[in-house]
Amino acid sequence: MSEFLGSIWWLIVAIGVLVTFHEFGHYWIARRSGVKVLRFSVGFGKPLWMRRGKDGTEYVIAAIPLGGYVKMLDEREFTVPPALQPQAFNRQPVWKRIAIVAAGPIANLILCVALFWAMFVVGRADYAPVVGHATGIAASAGLRQGDTILAVGDRQTPTWSEAVMALIPAALDHADTTVRVRTDSGSEATRELHLSDLPATFDERRAVEVMGLTPRYMLVPPLVGRVAPDTPAWGVLAEGDRITAIDGQPVTAWDDIGPRVQALGEHGGPAMIEVERKGDRLALEIAPARMKHAQTGQEYWGLGVAAAMPPEPAKDAVLRYGPIAAIPAAFRESVHQTQELFAMIGRAFTGRVSVQNTVAGPITIARAANMSAQNGAAWFLQMLAMLSLSLGILNLLPIPILDGGHLLYYLIELVKGSPVSERAMAAGQYVGLALIAGLMGLAFYNDIMNNLVR
């Protein structure tokens, strides 16, 4: 399946699951509150499939899979026969209307916990949180190659993704944080990352890279892939050679070669380069030469070799709990992600993060859904959990036309003792439509800038 078709398919699956649970929350509470439900629809537009239940409810799957709705008997929409008026939504006590409206977002929050539980039980394959290279702020903090990150602040980091998700919020807040590590020797130590020293503005998507951390799994092995003719390496090194040392300095990754060669060039004269070739260890004499970067024109000391790009490394860590232990873990993760979601909203409003990287549109969501599905069931479950949480929180915001807006009307009704006037509700609907339209416009703009404009 192509990336385009895969993205569309997994977006439909994700929205279908989330919308079905959301609308089922409204439906379930409405039925138990004595309200007649006329239609339960997943999607909008022309029905592709319809079935009428014994209770008279129409169950529909519609052509446009970008939402859904539960249509209840309501005198504000059409004339209701006297015999059915007690089952009308508008005739229910305010506390029942509050319960019916709140049930949708609450269903999404419950689904979020269930999905996190399933993710933990299935087990999310990932990479071990081992440092490959540390420069800049990370190196100044004492982080070294081979360190295993055990915790960032008070959050445990059993995988590299967990470490990244803990480091990024601290980086966005420019907040110094502690990192607990296990060193190569097996001892545990605590490092202080001075993230307050980060630049005032930086690409939030590259936060971990900006602080100077590279994971072990991203390191390119020091394997020679190509030797350019008429360069110092021509006739000395061969394709497939593994460089193990330069001038007595060990080489463990391709990134080690550049600094070693620069130092060798500045020192002047030839030196020994140690390689493994077809099981043999060789020490070869070589002297770097001044070269010019093809794109930037910048001069540097070089050998004339290019790396052999390896296949994607196998994941070497799994985030997994047993079915019982996964229950509190799912609740903890849901609470943590809720806090982070509100914190991110706060950062966007205060300008500490770019709104372009905060509000995602359907293209971004579709690509994320496809990528997570390709990574495995647990990754897709995690993405669904995050989307369900976002949908639940978004719908609770006090914006007219959203569930939270209706809840606001009902709370006002509880205080003043009478329903909000039709005129006030109509005005609120216009305001809500404008806000949602603006949010959708921003989401589509971000999609275009982040995915289509390269």
Side-chain angles (χ1 to χ4, degrees), residues 14 34-35 96 152 160 175 177 183-184 245 263 337 369 372 384 422 447 453:
V35 175
K96 280 192 176 181
V152 176
W160 184 259
T177 188
T183 65
D184 260 345
Q337 293 302 335
S372 62
L384 277 181
E422 294 289 338
D447 268 351
V453 178

Side-chain angles (χ1 to χ4, degrees), residues 19-20 22-24 26-27 37-47 50 57-62 64 66-72 77:
V19 168
T20 299
H22 181 93
E23 299 304 333
F24 181 77
H26 292 310
Y27 166 84
V37 177
L38 303 178
R39 174 173 286 192
F40 182 127
S41 178
V42 177
F44 298 105
K46 183 179 179 181
M50 179 187 296
T57 301
E58 293 178 343
Y59 300 92
V60 175
I61 297 177
I64 305 174
L66 297 177
Y69 61 92
V70 170
K71 186 176 182 180
M72 291 172 275
E77 297 184 18

Side-chain angles (χ1 to χ4, degrees), residues 53-134:
K54 294 180 180 179
D55 56 0
T57 301
E58 293 178 343
Y59 300 92
V60 175
I61 297 177
I64 305 174
L66 297 177
Y69 61 92
V70 170
K71 186 176 182 180
M72 291 172 275
L73 192 68
D74 197 315
E75 292 176 292
R76 293 168 298 180
E77 297 184 18
F78 41 75
T79 302
V80 176
L84 296 178
Q85 287 176 0
Q87 299 180 55
F89 175 80
N90 64 291
R91 290 289 184 109
Q92 306 307 309
V94 66
W95 64 267
K96 280 192 176 181
R97 283 178 275 143
I98 288 175
I100 293 170
V101 171
I106 291 173
N108 281 125
L109 299 181
I110 294 172
L111 177 62
C112 170
V113 176
L115 289 168
F116 275 131
W117 176 86
M119 179 202 74
F120 286 131
V121 171
V122 171
R124 195 191 70 199
D126 205 336
Y127 296 103
V130 180
V131 176
H133 270 305

Side-chain angles (χ1 to χ4, degrees), residues 223-285:
L223 292 174
V224 177
R226 183 178 64 84
V227 180
D230 303 323
T231 62
W234 183 252
V236 179
L237 298 177
E239 181 178 339
D241 284 353
R242 176 181 286 272
I243 301 174
T244 58
I246 295 177
D247 198 21
Q249 297 296 313
V251 171
T252 59
W254 190 264
D255 288 347
D256 294 333
I257 296 175
R260 305 278 191 274
V261 172
Q262 298 308 305
L264 181 59
E266 296 295 336
H267 181 268
M272 303 307 293
I273 181 168
E274 299 173 33
V275 303
E276 290 182 1
R277 180 183 296 171
K278 298 180 179 179
D280 296 327
R281 289 181 174 271
L282 305 175
L284 309 170
E285 187 176 78

Side-chain angles (χ1 to χ4, degrees), residues 352-374:
R352 283 181 290 165
V353 297
S354 169
V355 177
Q356 183 173 335
N357 294 327
T358 305
V359 181
I363 299 175
T364 300
I365 295 173
R367 294 186 65 185
N370 183 52
M371 187 179 301
S372 62
Q374 301 306 314

